């Protein structure tokens, strides 16, 4: 092993010590190479195939790398135990391989000898050229060295001085920059006062950048921290400037603030801060307004510090007198906050589109800008609901903190209108239905309305007790829409084509009221966005009611009358309407009786009480139009007003008609069964009876919702025959009730739109059972006049003196007919006299004459039934008397057909019926009384005893069945 290592070192050392030829000529190399090759080839010629096999036998490692150490490789192959023969064989083999390779190389060299010689000659030429170039370079260096020594040293001195000058100039510039940075704080403050936020931020950022550039100066370290503090101060002032937009939005101001935040890269932070400022603005604004009114009413003498109280406690200190102005100011201030938020949203909608167009050109920045815009839009959209929730909560707490039961109706409706406007604004602002504010409004309205309606019922009772039932002179075309309380319905009525256009609009007058239940919603933000406030008191032109007929008004046919001696003094005084708070003078409602010309268009017959009921109903409808959730309760109270008016008219003028009829106690049909049921229902549900012990002992709580029945004014005389038992008052009362019912029928479509669908059955029942029964009140009211104004009793007594058992046919009627016709003629004259004072409608006169003729016919039958003996000639005289009555009656009244004419004729003709038909006739004609049927049966002389007895028994059985 040691020998091997020594051999390797020996070979390696010999290789390293071999000298390399420094330079040989091309011809020498070629000659030596050719000679060696030739000597080797000539020594031992080999077969080409054998030579190829020898070359192929060379190991691959000899070809892998040019730096391959062949000697080391062969030595490493020697075993640990050396074998001389083996080594000799390897040496022979290697030598053979070397000879083969050398031969092959020589052959290749000989083949490329010309190209090799050419290339080698080029190399030698290149060496010669390089030697010449080196000589040139040496000469140039010598010359340059001489030039440097001669010229450059002075120039470089100049350059060095110039460089020093430049450095000093840069230093001076840096010092001036540092001096400017030291004075930047004052300029930043000036720019902030000028609201040049973008310029201030830009200047501050540039100063920070400059400070970082000169941070190697010790004086700059303190300046950098000071600039950072200044930047924070700028952000604080930006936040203050952002908060100012909550109370009064200014486009230029807000645009500056947004640009500044965008320059800082804090757009999202600005939006978060803005919503916090809006929430604070709502609270501070509401608190400040309430606090101002509380301190105003408390005065300076109180030592209470209201500023430390909560908002809810402050609201409880608001008085009734300051509630409405405080509510208006509160809503105005909150509207300004909401308007600012709305303008903020609109600003972002417009400017975001502009920024999107400009930023689309810069792809890199557009991604972040798009994200910021989406964030801002989502925040603003979500914030609308939060802003309105805060506003709604402030108004709700304020409304619920005060008891409004002491308000007048006009004031309360004004409060409802204000809050309703706020609800509409909220719905337009964020689409909210404002359930919380609606509930509070409904709660206050119901509490107020319960008390107010009881007061109105008491007021109505007072009006009815002092009512003289005299006609108010109104225009012939009067309708409820001409009243101030109903003017809010004019647009609805016109849209529904329920009234002629010329009756509600005069002289091109237009109505801006939006009162239809399903009317179009006003866009508050488009009307009041730039100027004005939706809660400002509407300065409408005061519209005067032109419902009363003027002095000497030919259209309505009333002449001037200054005579008011028949008017009580207490009714001539001015009075204050408790509903509207307005002062009314007697001169506007003074009755002006006059004579009417032919062809006159008669106006409605109404009273002062009717006007009062209509005005109250108009106010009630205004409440419904403003607050629809209380529609059912208000309409129910409206029905009570009409119920009470109907019940009063009947109790004043119709109850005496139910008294015992002197002629036929069981034949009084003046009151309708349905009307009787309606009156009973009103009496049980609405009218209190303090004199009845049963009602006091049963349910005391029900009496609070009831009202005592009114007592008629002593000025009204219903027992004077000269005035036809107060016919004028009866006509005014019943016809005013009819007019009231007609107006309710006109309002029915409007009420059906307002009342909830599950309560429409109540409305339908009210109209069918109460309103439609108003016309039935006429019959019992006028029945007294028709029964007591004609001398039926005298006619009946005179009929009792007539002999009906005559044997000759008479050609002259009896005197009782003339007596009855004379009474009819006198009654006609008195009707004409009353018609001069109070116009009697055609329907009224027809009804009165119909009742008079009906009573006359029943008087005839009753008189004919009083006779004990009657012959055929007597029956003929009865027919003659009745025909005379009918003939003369045609000259007195125009009544077709004559009521109950068949009632008399059938009774007279029944005398002539044969025995076989008389029994069926008695059975079929149950409209006659028992006494009248018995008188007929006993007076017929052609009946047998058994037949007469049978008919008498049948009549008695019919009477028993009738009673049961």
């Amino acid at each position: 092993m040691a020998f091997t290592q020594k051999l390797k070192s020996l070979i390696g050392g010999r290789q390293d010590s071999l000298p390399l030829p420094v330079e040989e000529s091309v011809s020498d190399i070629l000659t030596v190479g050719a000679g060696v090759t030739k000597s080797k080839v000539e020594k031992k010629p080999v077969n080409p195939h054998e030579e190829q096999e020898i070359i192929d036998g060379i190991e691959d490692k000899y070809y892998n790398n040019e730096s391959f150490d062949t000697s080391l490789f062969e030595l490493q192959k020697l075993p640990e135990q050396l074998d001389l023969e083996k080594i000799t064989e390897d040496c022979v083999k290697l030598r053979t391989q070397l000879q083969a390779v050398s031969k092959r190389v020589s052959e290749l060299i000989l083949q490329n000898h010309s190209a090799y010689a050419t290339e080698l000659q080029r190399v030698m030429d290149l060496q010669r050229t390089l030697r010449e170039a080196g000589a040139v370079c040496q000469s140039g260096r010598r010359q340059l060295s001489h030039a440097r020594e001669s010229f450059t040293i002075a120039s470089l001195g100049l350059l060095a001085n110039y460089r020093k000058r430049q450095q000093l100039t840069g230093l001076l510039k840096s010092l001036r920059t540092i001096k400017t940075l030291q004075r930047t704080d004052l300029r930043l403050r000036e720019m902030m006062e000028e609201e040049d936020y973008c310029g201030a931020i830009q200047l501050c950022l540039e100063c920070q950048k400059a400070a970082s550039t000169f941070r190697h100066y010790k004086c700059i370290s303190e300046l950098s921290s000071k600039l950072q503090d200044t930047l924070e101060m700028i952000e604080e002032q930006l936040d203050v400037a952002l908060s100012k937009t909550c109370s009064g939005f200014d486009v230029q101001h807000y645009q500056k603030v947004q640009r500044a935040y965008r320059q800082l890269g804090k757009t999202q932070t600005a939006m978060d801060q803005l919503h916090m400022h809006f929430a604070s603005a709502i609270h501070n604004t509401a608190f400040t307004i309430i606090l101002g009114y509380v301190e105003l009413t408390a005065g300076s003498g109180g030592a209470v510090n209201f500023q430390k109280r909560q908002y809810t406690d402050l609201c409880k200190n608001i008085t009734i007198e300051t509630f409405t102005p405080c509510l208006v100011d509160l809503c105005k201030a909150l509207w300004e906050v909401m308007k600012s938020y709305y303008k903020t949203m609109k600003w972002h909608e417009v400017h975001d589109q502009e920024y999107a167009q400009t930023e689309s050109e810069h792809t890199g920045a557009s991604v972040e800008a798009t994200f910021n815009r989406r964030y801002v839009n989502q925040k603003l959209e979500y914030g609308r609901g939060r802003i309105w929730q805060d506003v709604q909560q402030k108004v709700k707490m304020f409304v619920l903190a005060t008891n409004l039961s002491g308000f007048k109706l006009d004031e309360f409706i004004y409060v409802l209108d204000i809050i309703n406007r706020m609800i509409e604004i909220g719905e337009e602002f964020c689409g909210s239905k404002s359930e919380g504010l609606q509930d509070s409004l409904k709660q206050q309205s119901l509490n107020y309305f319960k008390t107010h309606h009881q007061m109105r019922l008491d007021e109505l009772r007072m009006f009815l007790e002092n009512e003289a039932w005299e006609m108010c002179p109104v225009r012939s075309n009067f309708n409820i829409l001409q009243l101030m309380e109903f003017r809010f319905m004019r647009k609805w009525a016109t849209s529904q084509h329920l009234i002629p256009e010329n009756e509600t609009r005069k002289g091109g007058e237009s109505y801006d009221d939006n009162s239809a239940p399903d009317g179009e919603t006003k866009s508050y933000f488009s009307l009041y966005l730039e100027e004005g406030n939706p809660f400002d008191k509407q300065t409408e032109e005061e519209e005067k009611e032109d419902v009363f007929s003027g002095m000497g008004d030919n259209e309505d046919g009333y002449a001037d009358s200054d005579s008011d001696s028949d008017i009580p003094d207490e009714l001539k005084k001015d009075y204050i309407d408790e509903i509207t708070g307005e002062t009314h003078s007697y001169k506007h409602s003074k009755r002006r009786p006059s004579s009417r010309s032919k062809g006159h268009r008669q106006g409605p017959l109404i009273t002062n009480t009717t006007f009062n009921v209509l005005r109250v109903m108009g106010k009630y409808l205004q409440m419904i139009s403003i607050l629809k959730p209380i529609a059912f309760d208000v309409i129910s109270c409206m029905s009570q007003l009409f119920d009470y008016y109907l019940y009063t008219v009947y109790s004043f003028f119709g109850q005496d008609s139910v008294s015992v009829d002197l002629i036929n106690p069981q034949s009084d049909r003046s009151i309708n069964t349905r009307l009787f049921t309606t009156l009973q229902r009103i009496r049980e549900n609405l009218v209190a009876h303090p004199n009845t012990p049963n009602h006091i002992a049963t349910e005391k709580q029900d009496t609070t919702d009831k009202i005592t029945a009114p007592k008629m004014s002593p000025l009204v005389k219903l027992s004077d025959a000269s005035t036809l038992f107060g016919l004028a008052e009866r006509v005014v009362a019943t016809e005013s009730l009819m007019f009231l019912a007609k107006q309710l029928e006109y309002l029915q479509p409007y009420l059906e739109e307002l009342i909830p669908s599950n309560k429409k059955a109540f409305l339908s029942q009210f109209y069918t059972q109460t309103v439609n029964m108003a016309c039935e009140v006429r019959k019992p009211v006028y029945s007294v006049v028709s029964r007591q104004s004609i001398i039926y009793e005298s006619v009946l007594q005179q009929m009792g003196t007539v002999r009906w058992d005559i044997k000759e046919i008479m050609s002259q009627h009896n005197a009782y007919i003339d007596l009855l016709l004379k009474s009819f003629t006198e009654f006609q004259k008195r009707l004409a006299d009353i018609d001069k004072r109070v116009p009697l409608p055609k329907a009224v006169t027809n009804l009165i004459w119909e009742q008079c003729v009906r009573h006359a016919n029943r008087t005839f039958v009753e008189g004919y039934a009083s006779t004990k003996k009657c012959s055929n000639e007597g029956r003929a005289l009865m027919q003659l008397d009745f025909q005379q009555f009918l003939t003369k009656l045609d000259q007195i009244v125009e009544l077709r057909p004559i009521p109950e004419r068949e009632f008399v004729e059938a009774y007279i003709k029944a005398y002539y019926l044969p025995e076989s038909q008389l029994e069926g006739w008695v059975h079929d004609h149950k409209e006659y009384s028992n006494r009248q049927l018995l008188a007929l049966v006993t007076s017929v002389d052609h009946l047998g005893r058994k037949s007469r007895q049978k008919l008498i028994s049948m009549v008695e059985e019919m009477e028993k069945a009738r009673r049961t």
Side-chain angles (χ1 to χ4, degrees):
M1 185 67 184
F3 176 76
T4 305
Q5 294 294 333
K6 291 180 179 181
L7 186 60
K8 290 181 180 179
S9 63
L10 181 59
I11 295 172
R14 293 181 63 184
Q15 288 180 352
D16 295 336
S17 62
L18 289 176
L20 294 176
V22 178
E23 186 176 345
E24 296 181 358
S25 63
V26 179
S27 61
D28 294 340
I29 293 174
L30 292 177
T31 305
V32 173
V36 173
T37 304
K38 180 186 270 188
S39 64
K40 289 182 180 180
V41 174
E42 289 178 351
K43 286 181 180 181
K44 191 177 181 179
V46 182
N47 191 359
H49 295 288
E50 293 178 358
E51 185 177 333
Q52 184 64 36
E53 290 178 359
I54 292 172
I55 293 175
D56 293 339
I58 298 174
E59 295 183 11
D60 295 336
K61 293 185 177 181
Y62 284 93
Y63 303 104
N64 288 340
N65 193 358
E66 292 182 358
S67 63
F68 179 67
D69 192 352
T70 57
S71 300
L72 181 61
F73 176 71
E74 291 297 333
L75 288 176
Q76 289 177 349
K77 289 169 59 177
L78 294 177
E80 294 293 333
Q81 299 294 332
L82 298 175
D83 187 1
L84 184 58
E85 296 179 358
K86 179 66 175 173
I87 294 173
T88 304
E89 291 178 0
D90 292 338
C91 289
V92 173
K93 181 180 178 181
L94 289 173
R95 190 177 292 114
T96 303
Q97 292 176 350
L98 177 60
Q99 292 175 355
V101 170
S102 298
K103 182 181 180 181
R104 180 65 58 86
V105 171
S106 298
E107 291 176 356
L108 292 174
I109 290 174
L110 291 175
Q111 290 176 4
N112 298 293
H113 183 265
S114 60
Y116 173 74
T118 305
E119 190 64 29
L120 188 59
Q121 184 64 38
R122 291 177 62 192
V123 170
M124 299 307 292
D125 294 340
L126 179 60
Q127 288 181 349
R128 188 172 52 255
T129 304
L130 289 175
R131 283 195 295 269
E132 295 175 355
V136 172
C137 288
Q138 289 178 357
S139 174
R141 287 178 179 178
R142 285 193 298 268
Q143 294 176 0
L144 286 174
S145 176
H146 177 71
R148 181 183 62 182
E149 293 176 356
S150 303
F151 305 104
T152 308
I153 293 175
S155 300
L156 289 177
L158 292 174
L159 290 174
N161 292 332
Y162 180 77
R163 181 183 178 186
K164 185 181 292 185
R165 177 186 174 186
Q166 291 295 107
Q167 290 177 351
L168 292 175
T169 303
L171 178 60
L172 181 61
K173 184 178 180 181
S174 300
L175 292 175
R176 288 175 178 173
T177 304
I178 293 173
K179 183 179 180 180
T180 304
L181 291 176
Q182 296 289 346
R183 298 178 178 178
T184 305
D185 186 54
L186 296 176
R187 178 55 185 161
L188 286 175
R189 294 181 184 277
E190 292 176 359
M191 297 177 74
M192 292 302 298
E193 292 177 358
E194 296 171 0
E195 295 186 352
D196 187 8
Y197 306 111
C198 292
I201 293 173
Q202 183 66 29
L203 178 59
C204 189
L205 293 177
E206 290 177 356
C207 289
Q208 283 186 333
K209 185 178 179 181
S212 65
T213 303
F214 300 106
R215 62 181 179 272
H216 50 279
Y217 296 105
K218 293 182 179 180
C219 61
I220 294 298
S221 58
E222 296 180 359
L223 180 62
S224 298
S225 60
K226 187 176 182 180
L227 288 174
Q228 185 62 33
D229 296 339
T230 303
L231 186 60
E232 293 178 358
M233 181 196 70
I234 292 174
E235 292 185 10
E236 292 177 359
Q237 292 195 14
L238 264 180
D239 190 61
V240 174
L242 185 65
S243 65
K244 293 180 181 179
T245 61
C246 299
S247 56
F249 183 85
D250 182 74
V251 175
Q252 301 297 330
H253 178 78
Y254 187 74
Q255 191 167 359
K256 292 179 181 179
V257 174
Q258 282 297 318
R259 286 179 178 175
Y261 273 109
R262 189 178 291 107
Q263 191 171 0
L264 289 173
K266 295 185 177 182
T267 306
Q268 298 182 15
T269 305
M271 192 50 56
D272 296 337
Q273 289 295 111
L274 181 63
H275 281 79
M276 293 177 58
H277 290 314
F278 268 107
S280 300
I282 292 172
H283 174 75
N284 296 336
T285 300
F287 187 86
T288 303
I289 291 176
I290 303 300
L291 178 62
Y293 276 92
V294 171
E295 291 179 345
L296 180 65
T297 54
S300 59
V304 181
N305 187 4
F306 292 103
Q307 293 183 353
K308 296 182 179 180
R309 292 196 177 184
Q310 296 293 328
Y311 178 79
T312 308
D313 297 333
L314 280 180
C315 293
K316 294 179 181 179
N317 289 277
I318 294 295
T319 61
I320 295 294
E321 293 77 12
T322 60
F323 178 85
T324 302
C326 183
L327 176 63
V328 172
D329 290 343
L330 177 64
C331 291
K332 283 183 178 181
L334 294 177
W335 157 258
E336 292 297 332
V337 177
M338 295 173 66
K339 184 175 70 172
S340 297
Y341 192 89
Y342 183 83
K343 286 185 175 181
T344 303
M345 294 184 60
K346 290 299 180 183
W347 186 91
H348 280 279
E349 288 178 5
V350 174
H351 287 76
D352 284 349
Q353 296 177 359
E354 297 178 358
Y355 287 127
Q357 294 175 359
T358 55
E359 291 172 354
S360 61
E361 302 175 358
H362 307 285
T363 309
S366 62
V367 176
E368 182 180 359
T370 302
F371 177 77
N372 289 335
R373 283 198 303 272
R374 289 180 180 176
Y375 179 84
V376 169
N377 292 333
Q378 291 177 359
K379 192 75 175 178
L380 287 172
E381 189 65 28
Y382 175 73
R384 280 202 288 185
R386 292 186 58 187
I387 295 296
W388 171 242
Q389 195 65 30
D390 293 343
V391 171
Q392 179 185 188
Q393 192 67 20
K394 295 300 180 184
V395 178
K396 175 183 176 182
M397 294 168 63
F398 177 77
V399 172
L400 291 179
T402 306
N403 184 11
L404 306 180
S405 58
F407 273 34
K408 294 182 179 180
L409 186 56
D410 277 343
E411 296 175 351
F412 188 75
I413 290 177
Y414 180 55
V415 171
L416 289 184
D417 182 59
I418 293 174
I419 302 177
N420 186 62
R421 264 183 271 174
M422 179 61 76
I423 292 174
E424 292 176 353
I425 290 173
E427 185 172 1
E428 182 183 354
F429 183 70
C430 63
S432 172
K433 296 299 182 182
S434 308
E435 289 81 4
L437 196 54
Q438 290 265 20
D439 293 340
S440 63
L441 193 59
K442 181 179 180 181
Q443 178 181 344
Q444 282 283 36
S445 298
L446 291 178
N447 293 338
Y448 172 82
F449 193 73
K450 183 177 181 181
T451 304
H452 177 79
H453 178 63
Q454 194 64 34
M455 295 173 58
R456 298 287 74 77
L457 285 176
D458 293 337
E459 184 184 64
L460 177 59
R461 178 176 61 82
M462 180 192 69
F463 267 86
L464 291 171
E465 288 180 345
N466 293 277
E467 180 61 62
W469 301 105
E470 295 184 351
M471 179 185 64
C472 283
V474 294
R475 292 186 176 275
S476 58
N477 61 346
F478 170 72
N479 59 66
I480 58 173
L481 297 182
Q482 297 172 2
L483 295 176
M484 298 295 291
E485 289 76 10
F486 287 91
R487 63 178 177 178
F488 73 99
M489 288 183 56
R490 293 170 179 172
K491 185 177 180 181
W492 171 84
T494 305
S495 64
Q496 298 293 324
H497 304 288
L498 296 179
I499 55 174
E501 191 77 13
N502 57 356
E503 288 193 10
T504 57
R505 299 192 179 188
K506 298 178 181 180
E509 180 183 355
S510 61
Y511 305 118
D512 296 330
D513 304 287
N514 188 12
S515 61
D518 297 324
E520 298 179 359
T521 305
K522 293 183 286 189
S523 178
Y524 291 95
F525 287 98
S526 61
L527 293 176
Y528 304 100
L529 189 61
E530 299 300 331
E531 60 181 6
N533 195 295
F535 301 98
D536 289 333
K537 191 74 174 180
Q538 301 297 328
T539 56
E540 301 175 354
E541 290 189 10
E542 183 178 357
E543 181 182 350
K544 297 182 179 180
E545 288 184 346
D546 190 14
V547 298
F548 298 103
S549 59
M551 303 292 287
D553 191 349
N554 294 329
E555 176 191 358
D556 293 317
Y558 294 103
D560 185 15
S561 174
D562 294 328
S563 175
D564 55 359
S565 58
D566 56 340
I567 305 299
D569 292 337
E570 60 269 16
L571 295 181
K572 297 178 183 178
K573 299 178 181 179
D574 295 349
Y575 66 93
I576 298 177
D577 194 339
E578 294 185 7
I579 303 174
T580 62
E582 298 175 349
T583 303
H584 297 273
S585 176
Y586 166 72
K587 62 182 181 180
H588 294 296
S589 58
K590 184 174 66 175
R591 179 181 61 85
R592 304 181 188 87
S594 62
S595 58
R596 293 174 290 117
S597 60
K598 295 182 179 180
H600 160 70
R601 182 185 174 187
Q602 180 177 315
L605 297 178
I606 53 179
T607 64
N608 284 327
T609 306
T610 313
F611 269 115
N612 175 265
V613 174
L614 288 174
R615 294 184 190 277
V616 174
M617 288 184 175
K619 295 294 184 181
Y620 284 8
L621 288 178
Q622 288 184 34
M623 292 184 65
I624 300 176
S625 65
I626 296 174
L627 189 62
K628 295 182 179 61
I630 64 170
F632 171 71
D633 302 276
V634 178
I635 292 175
S636 177
C637 293
M638 284 179 59
S639 68
Q640 290 184 358
L641 294 175
F642 184 78
D643 289 347
Y644 193 70
Y645 195 90
L646 172 69
Y647 182 84
T648 301
V649 171
Y650 174 78
S651 62
F652 281 1
F653 302 101
Q655 276 190 338
D656 50 359
S657 67
V658 192
S659 60
V660 179
D661 193 337
L662 298 176
I663 301 174
N664 189 2
Q666 299 178 354
S667 64
D668 184 27
R669 300 179 181 178
S670 61
I671 184 168
N672 186 286
T673 305
R674 292 176 58 194
L675 176 60
F676 180 78
T677 304
T678 299
L679 293 171
Q680 283 293 105
R681 174 181 57 80
I682 297 174
R683 187 173 186 273
E684 294 173 0
N685 298 335
L686 184 61
V687 181
H689 305 277
N691 296 329
T692 307
N694 294 333
H695 287 273
I696 299 177
T698 54
E699 296 185 6
K700 295 182 180 180
Q701 59 182 6
D702 290 346
T703 58
T704 58
D705 297 331
K706 294 183 178 181
I707 182 172
T708 57
K711 298 179 181 179
M712 185 180 294
S713 172
L715 299 176
V716 180
K717 305 296 183 181
L718 300 181
S719 58
D720 190 358
S722 61
T723 60
L724 293 182
F725 305 95
L727 178 60
E729 289 79 3
R730 294 175 186 270
V731 170
V732 173
T734 54
E735 296 312 305
S736 65
L737 175 64
M738 289 296 300
F739 179 79
L740 197 57
K742 183 180 178 182
Q743 302 310 306
L744 285 175
E745 290 176 356
Y746 171 78
L747 294 174
Q748 185 174 3
Y750 186 78
L751 298 179
E752 288 178 349
E753 294 181 15
L754 293 173
I755 198 169
S757 57
N758 58 342
K759 300 294 184 180
K760 288 189 177 181
F762 165 80
L763 187 63
S764 177
Q765 183 180 3
F766 168 67
Y767 273 93
T768 55
Q769 296 184 4
T770 306
V771 178
N772 295 342
M773 289 295 103
C775 60
E776 297 295 334
V777 178
R778 282 173 168 173
K779 295 180 181 179
V781 170
Y782 299 138
S783 177
V784 178
V785 178
S786 60
R787 189 171 60 239
Q788 297 183 8
S789 299
I790 307 299
I791 52 175
Y792 300 109
E793 188 174 356
S794 300
V795 172
L796 187 61
Q797 292 176 357
Q798 193 168 356
M799 289 179 68
T801 61
V802 178
R803 293 186 56 186
W804 303 104
D805 55 347
I806 57 177
K807 300 301 182 180
E808 296 180 357
I809 297 177
M810 304 296 293
S811 59
Q812 180 64 29
H813 60 274
N814 288 302
Y816 70 89
I817 296 296
D818 296 331
L819 180 63
L820 180 60
L821 291 174
K822 181 180 179 182
S823 180
F824 272 27
T825 303
E826 293 177 354
F827 181 70
Q828 182 186 28
K829 293 180 180 180
R830 283 190 285 178
L831 281 180
D833 293 338
I834 293 176
D835 186 55
K836 294 178 181 179
R837 187 162 62 98
V838 176
L840 301 178
K842 185 69 174 178
V844 173
T845 56
N846 288 342
L847 178 60
I848 294 175
W849 280 114
E850 179 184 348
Q851 291 179 341
C852 291
V853 174
R854 193 183 302 274
H855 284 299
N857 289 337
R858 291 184 177 273
T859 302
F860 288 149
V861 174
E862 187 64 22
Y864 296 153
S866 300
T867 182
K868 297 180 180 180
K869 294 182 180 181
C870 184
S871 61
N872 291 335
E873 291 78 4
R875 292 293 175 181
L877 182 58
M878 291 179 183
Q879 290 183 345
L880 178 62
D881 292 344
F882 187 64
Q883 289 298 325
Q884 177 67 18
F885 170 74
L886 295 178
T887 302
K888 297 298 183 180
L889 184 63
D890 289 341
Q891 301 175 4
I892 299 175
V893 295
E894 298 179 358
L895 199 62
R896 298 291 185 276
I898 301 299
E900 296 190 358
R901 175 177 180 176
E902 296 78 6
F903 183 77
V904 180
E905 292 178 346
Y907 189 80
I908 297 174
K909 294 178 181 178
Y911 181 84
Y912 300 103
L913 294 176
E915 182 178 347
S916 59
Q917 298 179 8
L918 187 59
E919 182 179 351
W921 186 92
V922 171
H923 184 271
D924 294 337
H925 290 72
K926 298 179 182 180
E927 65 271 17
Y928 299 99
S929 65
N930 182 37
R931 177 176 174 277
Q932 293 169 351
L933 292 175
L934 289 177
L936 176 64
V937 171
T938 56
S939 64
V940 176
D941 54 1
H942 58 270
L943 286 177
R945 183 176 181 182
K946 293 183 179 181
S947 298
R948 183 176 285 106
Q949 190 63 36
K950 180 180 178 181
L951 289 175
I952 292 174
S953 300
M954 184 176 68
V955 171
E956 291 175 352
E957 290 294 331
M958 289 171 58
E959 180 63 20
K960 291 180 181 180
R962 185 182 300 172
R963 289 180 179 179
T964 57

